[in-house]
Amino acid sequence: MTAGGNGAPEGEPSPRVPARPPEVTDRPPEDVAERLASLSTSLDESGLPPKVLDRNLLVATWNLRAFGAVTKAWHSGKDDSPKRDLQDILCIREIVSRFDVVALQEVRGNLQGLRYLIKALGPDWGLILTDVTKGRAGNDERMAFLFDTRRVRPSGLACELVVSVEENTQKAGRETLDRQFARTPYAVSFISSGQTFILVTLHVIFGESGKDRLGELTEIAEWLAEWAKEVDDYNQNLIALGDFNIDRAGDPTYEAFTATGLHPPEELQTIPRTIFTKAGEDANQFFDQIAWFPEQLSLQYTGEAGNFDFVPVLQTSLTKNELSWRISDHYPLWANFSSAHG
């Protein structure tokens, strides 16, 4: 008996070769391609400025809910866990690609989702991230920056911010932090069009109430104020961004955040931060922020900042809770700066 080219004896059925799992870099199915095209159109029409070489710098922050493992399929099934799948990664990629540098929060110890995302973004994108902050309060989270290397590159500094608990115990009359940050803040310096800027990202502990956040918020505000004085001597820029878990202006959490002169732009003062804020509702939770010390900034803020509401185009038949586990419960938040010379 002779064997056929596939190794099976002639006259017998060929063994079925299992299909390989899809890769995030494969051509997506038609329905996924259509969804991505709709998302691209929505981004074009959102008011988000385009990236223009040597003219502007788009900085963003995004809390990607529990961004860890991914189901390696274009469409996760009813029994699959997690529900986030490859088409969700491509949707996240489409949004992230519109910015120059993005600070990500809630990146988990499992880096599968982040690895797929950087593959989907392609060879022009870079990644810098921390290790996981250990302990229950750390929530198995990392801090990460994704950046378009055609427009932005690291300029040398990458560090985690560590508290001097001994000095804090000697400070009286204010909220102090008698421990390290639950999730260690991360600072990285970048250069774009000849201008250096340091981005500091963090995810403040939520706690049982706003009071539980005051120590971390006070500490980061004081730390950044001191640092801003130093980097100003070198004509550098310091920008804080991330999930600060603060409430509206006047709330103790907001006042702690802004006490040393750190301020978000007016354009971010009223827009919602999470997808669960109802349309027309007067939101009082302004968790995510991009802020700086106005007198220290040498980058020219263009007066353009906002969020991107992906819900109308991506929700389809999903509930908002289901969408939050696939994409996020937070909107990406962005600010635009001029990098034009002269």
Side-chain angles (χ1 to χ4, degrees), residues 91-118:
C91 289
I92 294 169
R93 183 278 312 270
E94 186 65 32
I95 296 170
V96 166
S97 69
R98 299 300 180 106
F99 306 111
D100 292 313
V101 56
V102 184
L104 298 181
Q105 300 86 47
E106 284 203 31
V107 175
R108 291 295 178 84
N110 184 322
L111 289 172
Q112 187 179 31
L114 190 61
R115 285 174 175 152
Y116 287 170
L117 178 56
I118 196 71

PDB file of all heavy atoms in Angstrom, residues 91-118:
ATOM      1  N   CYS A  91      -9.624  47.225  17.872  1.00  0.00           N
ATOM      2  CA  CYS A  91     -10.367  48.460  18.153  1.00  0.00           C
ATOM      3  C   CYS A  91      -9.552  49.372  19.072  1.00  0.00           C
ATOM      4  O   CYS A  91      -9.471  50.590  18.848  1.00  0.00           O
ATOM      5  CB  CYS A  91     -11.712  48.128  18.794  1.00  0.00           C
ATOM      6  SG  CYS A  91     -12.905  47.370  17.667  1.00  0.00           S
ATOM      7  N   ILE A  92      -8.936  48.786  20.091  1.00  0.00           N
ATOM      8  CA  ILE A  92      -8.077  49.565  20.980  1.00  0.00           C
ATOM      9  C   ILE A  92      -6.907  50.137  20.188  1.00  0.00           C
ATOM     10  O   ILE A  92      -6.518  51.300  20.368  1.00  0.00           O
ATOM     11  CB  ILE A  92      -7.597  48.690  22.162  1.00  0.00           C
ATOM     12  CG1 ILE A  92      -8.793  48.318  23.048  1.00  0.00           C
ATOM     13  CG2 ILE A  92      -6.527  49.404  22.971  1.00  0.00           C
ATOM     14  CD1 ILE A  92      -8.484  47.259  24.091  1.00  0.00           C
ATOM     15  N   ARG A  93      -6.322  49.307  19.300  1.00  0.00           N
ATOM     16  CA  ARG A  93      -5.228  49.769  18.455  1.00  0.00           C
ATOM     17  C   ARG A  93      -5.634  50.974  17.611  1.00  0.00           C
ATOM     18  O   ARG A  93      -4.884  51.946  17.477  1.00  0.00           O
ATOM     19  CB  ARG A  93      -4.793  48.622  17.534  1.00  0.00           C
ATOM     20  CG  ARG A  93      -3.593  48.881  16.605  1.00  0.00           C
ATOM     21  CD  ARG A  93      -3.915  49.622  15.301  1.00  0.00           C
ATOM     22  NE  ARG A  93      -5.044  49.093  14.567  1.00  0.00           N
ATOM     23  CZ  ARG A  93      -4.986  48.154  13.643  1.00  0.00           C
ATOM     24  NH1 ARG A  93      -3.838  47.599  13.349  1.00  0.00           N
ATOM     25  NH2 ARG A  93      -6.093  47.777  13.013  1.00  0.00           N
ATOM     26  N   GLU A  94      -6.818  50.918  17.035  1.00  0.00           N
ATOM     27  CA  GLU A  94      -7.278  52.011  16.181  1.00  0.00           C
ATOM     28  C   GLU A  94      -7.351  53.324  16.951  1.00  0.00           C
ATOM     29  O   GLU A  94      -6.992  54.394  16.435  1.00  0.00           O
ATOM     30  CB  GLU A  94      -8.647  51.668  15.596  1.00  0.00           C
ATOM     31  CG  GLU A  94      -9.164  52.660  14.567  1.00  0.00           C
ATOM     32  CD  GLU A  94      -8.312  52.700  13.305  1.00  0.00           C
ATOM     33  OE1 GLU A  94      -7.735  51.654  12.933  1.00  0.00           O
ATOM     34  OE2 GLU A  94      -8.218  53.779  12.695  1.00  0.00           O
ATOM     35  N   ILE A  95      -7.772  53.253  18.203  1.00  0.00           N
ATOM     36  CA  ILE A  95      -7.869  54.462  19.026  1.00  0.00           C
ATOM     37  C   ILE A  95      -6.485  54.934  19.450  1.00  0.00           C
ATOM     38  O   ILE A  95      -6.133  56.112  19.289  1.00  0.00           O
ATOM     39  CB  ILE A  95      -8.763  54.199  20.253  1.00  0.00           C
ATOM     40  CG1 ILE A  95     -10.203  53.885  19.802  1.00  0.00           C
ATOM     41  CG2 ILE A  95      -8.749  55.396  21.198  1.00  0.00           C
ATOM     42  CD1 ILE A  95     -11.106  53.374  20.909  1.00  0.00           C
ATOM     43  N   VAL A  96      -5.668  54.029  19.984  1.00  0.00           N
ATOM     44  CA  VAL A  96      -4.334  54.389  20.464  1.00  0.00           C
ATOM     45  C   VAL A  96      -3.485  54.993  19.349  1.00  0.00           C
ATOM     46  O   VAL A  96      -2.724  55.946  19.566  1.00  0.00           O
ATOM     47  CB  VAL A  96      -3.638  53.151  21.069  1.00  0.00           C
ATOM     48  CG1 VAL A  96      -2.143  53.393  21.274  1.00  0.00           C
ATOM     49  CG2 VAL A  96      -4.289  52.768  22.398  1.00  0.00           C
ATOM     50  N   SER A  97      -3.633  54.487  18.132  1.00  0.00           N
ATOM     51  CA  SER A  97      -2.793  54.934  17.016  1.00  0.00           C
ATOM     52  C   SER A  97      -3.007  56.396  16.654  1.00  0.00           C
ATOM     53  O   SER A  97      -2.175  56.992  15.959  1.00  0.00           O
ATOM     54  CB  SER A  97      -3.043  54.061  15.783  1.00  0.00           C
ATOM     55  OG  SER A  97      -4.344  54.282  15.250  1.00  0.00           O
ATOM     56  N   ARG A  98      -4.107  56.998  17.131  1.00  0.00           N
ATOM     57  CA  ARG A  98      -4.369  58.411  16.816  1.00  0.00           C
ATOM     58  C   ARG A  98      -3.554  59.362  17.675  1.00  0.00           C
ATOM     59  O   ARG A  98      -3.579  60.574  17.442  1.00  0.00           O
ATOM     60  CB  ARG A  98      -5.860  58.705  16.996  1.00  0.00           C
ATOM     61  CG  ARG A  98      -6.790  57.899  16.090  1.00  0.00           C
ATOM     62  CD  ARG A  98      -6.503  58.151  14.621  1.00  0.00           C
ATOM     63  NE  ARG A  98      -7.369  57.408  13.737  1.00  0.00           N
ATOM     64  CZ  ARG A  98      -8.374  57.944  13.042  1.00  0.00           C
ATOM     65  NH1 ARG A  98      -8.611  59.244  13.136  1.00  0.00           N
ATOM     66  NH2 ARG A  98      -9.116  57.187  12.245  1.00  0.00           N
ATOM     67  N   PHE A  99      -2.836  58.833  18.673  1.00  0.00           N
ATOM     68  CA  PHE A  99      -2.063  59.676  19.582  1.00  0.00           C
ATOM     69  C   PHE A  99      -0.569  59.458  19.366  1.00  0.00           C
ATOM     70  O   PHE A  99      -0.148  58.512  18.702  1.00  0.00           O
ATOM     71  CB  PHE A  99      -2.443  59.367  21.030  1.00  0.00           C
ATOM     72  CG  PHE A  99      -3.922  59.464  21.294  1.00  0.00           C
ATOM     73  CD1 PHE A  99      -4.669  58.329  21.564  1.00  0.00           C
ATOM     74  CD2 PHE A  99      -4.563  60.689  21.237  1.00  0.00           C
ATOM     75  CE1 PHE A  99      -6.040  58.414  21.791  1.00  0.00           C
ATOM     76  CE2 PHE A  99      -5.933  60.788  21.461  1.00  0.00           C
ATOM     77  CZ  PHE A  99      -6.669  59.648  21.738  1.00  0.00           C
ATOM     78  N   ASP A 100       0.237  60.343  19.954  1.00  0.00           N
ATOM     79  CA  ASP A 100       1.690  60.218  19.875  1.00  0.00           C
ATOM     80  C   ASP A 100       2.254  59.401  21.027  1.00  0.00           C
ATOM     81  O   ASP A 100       3.170  58.608  20.844  1.00  0.00           O
ATOM     82  CB  ASP A 100       2.339  61.604  19.859  1.00  0.00           C
ATOM     83  CG  ASP A 100       2.038  62.346  18.572  1.00  0.00           C
ATOM     84  OD1 ASP A 100       2.187  61.744  17.494  1.00  0.00           O
ATOM     85  OD2 ASP A 100       1.647  63.529  18.640  1.00  0.00           O
ATOM     86  N   VAL A 101       1.742  59.640  22.215  1.00  0.00           N
ATOM     87  CA  VAL A 101       2.180  58.881  23.390  1.00  0.00           C
ATOM     88  C   VAL A 101       0.969  58.706  24.301  1.00  0.00           C
ATOM     89  O   VAL A 101       0.196  59.651  24.514  1.00  0.00           O
ATOM     90  CB  VAL A 101       3.352  59.569  24.116  1.00  0.00           C
ATOM     91  CG1 VAL A 101       3.024  60.983  24.526  1.00  0.00           C
ATOM     92  CG2 VAL A 101       3.819  58.752  25.315  1.00  0.00           C
ATOM     93  N   VAL A 102       0.793  57.492  24.797  1.00  0.00           N
ATOM     94  CA  VAL A 102      -0.374  57.162  25.619  1.00  0.00           C
ATOM     95  C   VAL A 102       0.099  56.498  26.906  1.00  0.00           C
ATOM     96  O   VAL A 102       0.855  55.518  26.867  1.00  0.00           O
ATOM     97  CB  VAL A 102      -1.330  56.206  24.882  1.00  0.00           C
ATOM     98  CG1 VAL A 102      -2.584  55.955  25.724  1.00  0.00           C
ATOM     99  CG2 VAL A 102      -1.709  56.754  23.514  1.00  0.00           C
ATOM    100  N   ALA A 103      -0.352  57.031  28.044  1.00  0.00           N
ATOM    101  CA  ALA A 103      -0.119  56.383  29.332  1.00  0.00           C
ATOM    102  C   ALA A 103      -1.270  55.410  29.577  1.00  0.00           C
ATOM    103  O   ALA A 103      -2.441  55.798  29.481  1.00  0.00           O
ATOM    104  CB  ALA A 103      -0.067  57.420  30.443  1.00  0.00           C
ATOM    105  N   LEU A 104      -0.943  54.167  29.877  1.00  0.00           N
ATOM    106  CA  LEU A 104      -1.961  53.147  30.131  1.00  0.00           C
ATOM    107  C   LEU A 104      -1.957  52.763  31.602  1.00  0.00           C
ATOM    108  O   LEU A 104      -0.897  52.546  32.193  1.00  0.00           O
ATOM    109  CB  LEU A 104      -1.705  51.889  29.293  1.00  0.00           C
ATOM    110  CG  LEU A 104      -1.738  52.031  27.773  1.00  0.00           C
ATOM    111  CD1 LEU A 104      -1.494  50.669  27.122  1.00  0.00           C
ATOM    112  CD2 LEU A 104      -3.072  52.610  27.291  1.00  0.00           C
ATOM    113  N   GLN A 105      -3.141  52.673  32.177  1.00  0.00           N
ATOM    114  CA  GLN A 105      -3.294  52.147  33.525  1.00  0.00           C
ATOM    115  C   GLN A 105      -4.079  50.827  33.471  1.00  0.00           C
ATOM    116  O   GLN A 105      -4.775  50.553  32.510  1.00  0.00           O
ATOM    117  CB  GLN A 105      -4.034  53.134  34.440  1.00  0.00           C
ATOM    118  CG  GLN A 105      -3.332  54.476  34.603  1.00  0.00           C
ATOM    119  CD  GLN A 105      -3.699  55.452  33.496  1.00  0.00           C
ATOM    120  OE1 GLN A 105      -4.872  55.610  33.162  1.00  0.00           O
ATOM    121  NE2 GLN A 105      -2.701  56.110  32.933  1.00  0.00           N
ATOM    122  N   GLU A 106      -3.956  50.065  34.533  1.00  0.00           N
ATOM    123  CA  GLU A 106      -4.588  48.754  34.698  1.00  0.00           C
ATOM    124  C   GLU A 106      -4.045  47.687  33.737  1.00  0.00           C
ATOM    125  O   GLU A 106      -4.727  46.730  33.404  1.00  0.00           O
ATOM    126  CB  GLU A 106      -6.121  48.822  34.616  1.00  0.00           C
ATOM    127  CG  GLU A 106      -6.760  49.372  35.866  1.00  0.00           C
ATOM    128  CD  GLU A 106      -8.212  48.973  36.071  1.00  0.00           C
ATOM    129  OE1 GLU A 106      -8.615  47.870  35.645  1.00  0.00           O
ATOM    130  OE2 GLU A 106      -8.946  49.773  36.676  1.00  0.00           O
ATOM    131  N   VAL A 107      -2.804  47.875  33.281  1.00  0.00           N
ATOM    132  CA  VAL A 107      -2.134  46.786  32.568  1.00  0.00           C
ATOM    133  C   VAL A 107      -1.767  45.740  33.618  1.00  0.00           C
ATOM    134  O   VAL A 107      -1.112  46.044  34.605  1.00  0.00           O
ATOM    135  CB  VAL A 107      -0.863  47.281  31.850  1.00  0.00           C
ATOM    136  CG1 VAL A 107      -0.116  46.111  31.222  1.00  0.00           C
ATOM    137  CG2 VAL A 107      -1.224  48.317  30.797  1.00  0.00           C
ATOM    138  N   ARG A 108      -2.210  44.506  33.414  1.00  0.00           N
ATOM    139  CA  ARG A 108      -2.052  43.464  34.418  1.00  0.00           C
ATOM    140  C   ARG A 108      -0.712  42.731  34.301  1.00  0.00           C
ATOM    141  O   ARG A 108       0.051  42.925  33.355  1.00  0.00           O
ATOM    142  CB  ARG A 108      -3.206  42.473  34.307  1.00  0.00           C
ATOM    143  CG  ARG A 108      -4.555  43.060  34.744  1.00  0.00           C
ATOM    144  CD  ARG A 108      -4.537  43.396  36.222  1.00  0.00           C
ATOM    145  NE  ARG A 108      -5.748  44.004  36.708  1.00  0.00           N
ATOM    146  CZ  ARG A 108      -6.844  43.331  37.092  1.00  0.00           C
ATOM    147  NH1 ARG A 108      -6.892  42.016  36.949  1.00  0.00           N
ATOM    148  NH2 ARG A 108      -7.884  43.962  37.576  1.00  0.00           N
ATOM    149  N   GLY A 109      -0.457  41.870  35.278  1.00  0.00           N
ATOM    150  CA  GLY A 109       0.749  41.070  35.255  1.00  0.00           C
ATOM    151  C   GLY A 109       0.824  40.206  34.014  1.00  0.00           C
ATOM    152  O   GLY A 109       1.904  39.993  33.451  1.00  0.00           O
ATOM    153  N   ASN A 110      -0.313  39.696  33.563  1.00  0.00           N
ATOM    154  CA  ASN A 110      -0.384  38.950  32.310  1.00  0.00           C
ATOM    155  C   ASN A 110      -0.306  39.958  31.162  1.00  0.00           C
ATOM    156  O   ASN A 110      -1.189  40.791  30.987  1.00  0.00           O
ATOM    157  CB  ASN A 110      -1.701  38.164  32.239  1.00  0.00           C
ATOM    158  CG  ASN A 110      -1.807  37.282  31.007  1.00  0.00           C
ATOM    159  OD1 ASN A 110      -1.375  37.659  29.921  1.00  0.00           O
ATOM    160  ND2 ASN A 110      -2.404  36.110  31.168  1.00  0.00           N
ATOM    161  N   LEU A 111       0.745  39.872  30.354  1.00  0.00           N
ATOM    162  CA  LEU A 111       1.002  40.872  29.325  1.00  0.00           C
ATOM    163  C   LEU A 111       0.453  40.498  27.956  1.00  0.00           C
ATOM    164  O   LEU A 111       0.785  41.142  26.956  1.00  0.00           O
ATOM    165  CB  LEU A 111       2.514  41.112  29.204  1.00  0.00           C
ATOM    166  CG  LEU A 111       3.163  41.863  30.369  1.00  0.00           C
ATOM    167  CD1 LEU A 111       4.665  41.857  30.229  1.00  0.00           C
ATOM    168  CD2 LEU A 111       2.628  43.280  30.458  1.00  0.00           C
ATOM    169  N   GLN A 112      -0.387  39.484  27.877  1.00  0.00           N
ATOM    170  CA  GLN A 112      -0.868  39.021  26.583  1.00  0.00           C
ATOM    171  C   GLN A 112      -1.539  40.141  25.788  1.00  0.00           C
ATOM    172  O   GLN A 112      -1.236  40.365  24.614  1.00  0.00           O
ATOM    173  CB  GLN A 112      -1.833  37.854  26.762  1.00  0.00           C
ATOM    174  CG  GLN A 112      -2.258  37.199  25.462  1.00  0.00           C
ATOM    175  CD  GLN A 112      -3.208  36.032  25.690  1.00  0.00           C
ATOM    176  OE1 GLN A 112      -3.982  36.020  26.642  1.00  0.00           O
ATOM    177  NE2 GLN A 112      -3.151  35.054  24.802  1.00  0.00           N
ATOM    178  N   GLY A 113      -2.462  40.844  26.412  1.00  0.00           N
ATOM    179  CA  GLY A 113      -3.164  41.919  25.708  1.00  0.00           C
ATOM    180  C   GLY A 113      -2.224  43.005  25.237  1.00  0.00           C
ATOM    181  O   GLY A 113      -2.343  43.509  24.117  1.00  0.00           O
ATOM    182  N   LEU A 114      -1.270  43.391  26.077  1.00  0.00           N
ATOM    183  CA  LEU A 114      -0.316  44.441  25.706  1.00  0.00           C
ATOM    184  C   LEU A 114       0.584  43.971  24.571  1.00  0.00           C
ATOM    185  O   LEU A 114       0.905  44.738  23.659  1.00  0.00           O
ATOM    186  CB  LEU A 114       0.512  44.840  26.928  1.00  0.00           C
ATOM    187  CG  LEU A 114       1.383  46.079  26.766  1.00  0.00           C
ATOM    188  CD1 LEU A 114       0.545  47.313  26.460  1.00  0.00           C
ATOM    189  CD2 LEU A 114       2.235  46.314  28.006  1.00  0.00           C
ATOM    190  N   ARG A 115       0.986  42.709  24.600  1.00  0.00           N
ATOM    191  CA  ARG A 115       1.831  42.180  23.520  1.00  0.00           C
ATOM    192  C   ARG A 115       1.072  42.161  22.200  1.00  0.00           C
ATOM    193  O   ARG A 115       1.625  42.513  21.149  1.00  0.00           O
ATOM    194  CB  ARG A 115       2.300  40.772  23.887  1.00  0.00           C
ATOM    195  CG  ARG A 115       3.402  40.757  24.938  1.00  0.00           C
ATOM    196  CD  ARG A 115       3.737  39.357  25.369  1.00  0.00           C
ATOM    197  NE  ARG A 115       4.872  39.334  26.289  1.00  0.00           N
ATOM    198  CZ  ARG A 115       5.065  38.409  27.202  1.00  0.00           C
ATOM    199  NH1 ARG A 115       4.192  37.412  27.330  1.00  0.00           N
ATOM    200  NH2 ARG A 115       6.115  38.443  27.998  1.00  0.00           N
ATOM    201  N   TYR A 116      -0.186  41.748  22.237  1.00  0.00           N
ATOM    202  CA  TYR A 116      -0.981  41.760  21.009  1.00  0.00           C
ATOM    203  C   TYR A 116      -1.162  43.186  20.507  1.00  0.00           C
ATOM    204  O   TYR A 116      -1.119  43.449  19.301  1.00  0.00           O
ATOM    205  CB  TYR A 116      -2.354  41.114  21.249  1.00  0.00           C
ATOM    206  CG  TYR A 116      -2.325  39.620  21.399  1.00  0.00           C
ATOM    207  CD1 TYR A 116      -3.459  38.933  21.834  1.00  0.00           C
ATOM    208  CD2 TYR A 116      -1.195  38.867  21.116  1.00  0.00           C
ATOM    209  CE1 TYR A 116      -3.461  37.548  21.977  1.00  0.00           C
ATOM    210  CE2 TYR A 116      -1.189  37.488  21.263  1.00  0.00           C
ATOM    211  CZ  TYR A 116      -2.321  36.834  21.696  1.00  0.00           C
ATOM    212  OH  TYR A 116      -2.309  35.472  21.839  1.00  0.00           O
ATOM    213  N   LEU A 117      -1.365  44.121  21.429  1.00  0.00           N
ATOM    214  CA  LEU A 117      -1.582  45.514  21.042  1.00  0.00           C
ATOM    215  C   LEU A 117      -0.348  46.097  20.370  1.00  0.00           C
ATOM    216  O   LEU A 117      -0.464  46.767  19.326  1.00  0.00           O
ATOM    217  CB  LEU A 117      -1.970  46.344  22.264  1.00  0.00           C
ATOM    218  CG  LEU A 117      -2.185  47.841  22.044  1.00  0.00           C
ATOM    219  CD1 LEU A 117      -3.238  48.093  20.968  1.00  0.00           C
ATOM    220  CD2 LEU A 117      -2.581  48.529  23.354  1.00  0.00           C
ATOM    221  N   ILE A 118       0.841  45.852  20.918  1.00  0.00           N
ATOM    222  CA  ILE A 118       2.044  46.406  20.315  1.00  0.00           C
ATOM    223  C   ILE A 118       2.329  45.746  18.968  1.00  0.00           C
ATOM    224  O   ILE A 118       2.815  46.395  18.029  1.00  0.00           O
ATOM    225  CB  ILE A 118       3.255  46.303  21.278  1.00  0.00           C
ATOM    226  CG1 ILE A 118       4.398  47.220  20.839  1.00  0.00           C
ATOM    227  CG2 ILE A 118       3.728  44.890  21.433  1.00  0.00           C
ATOM    228  CD1 ILE A 118       4.154  48.672  21.021  1.00  0.00           C
TER     229      ILE A 118
END
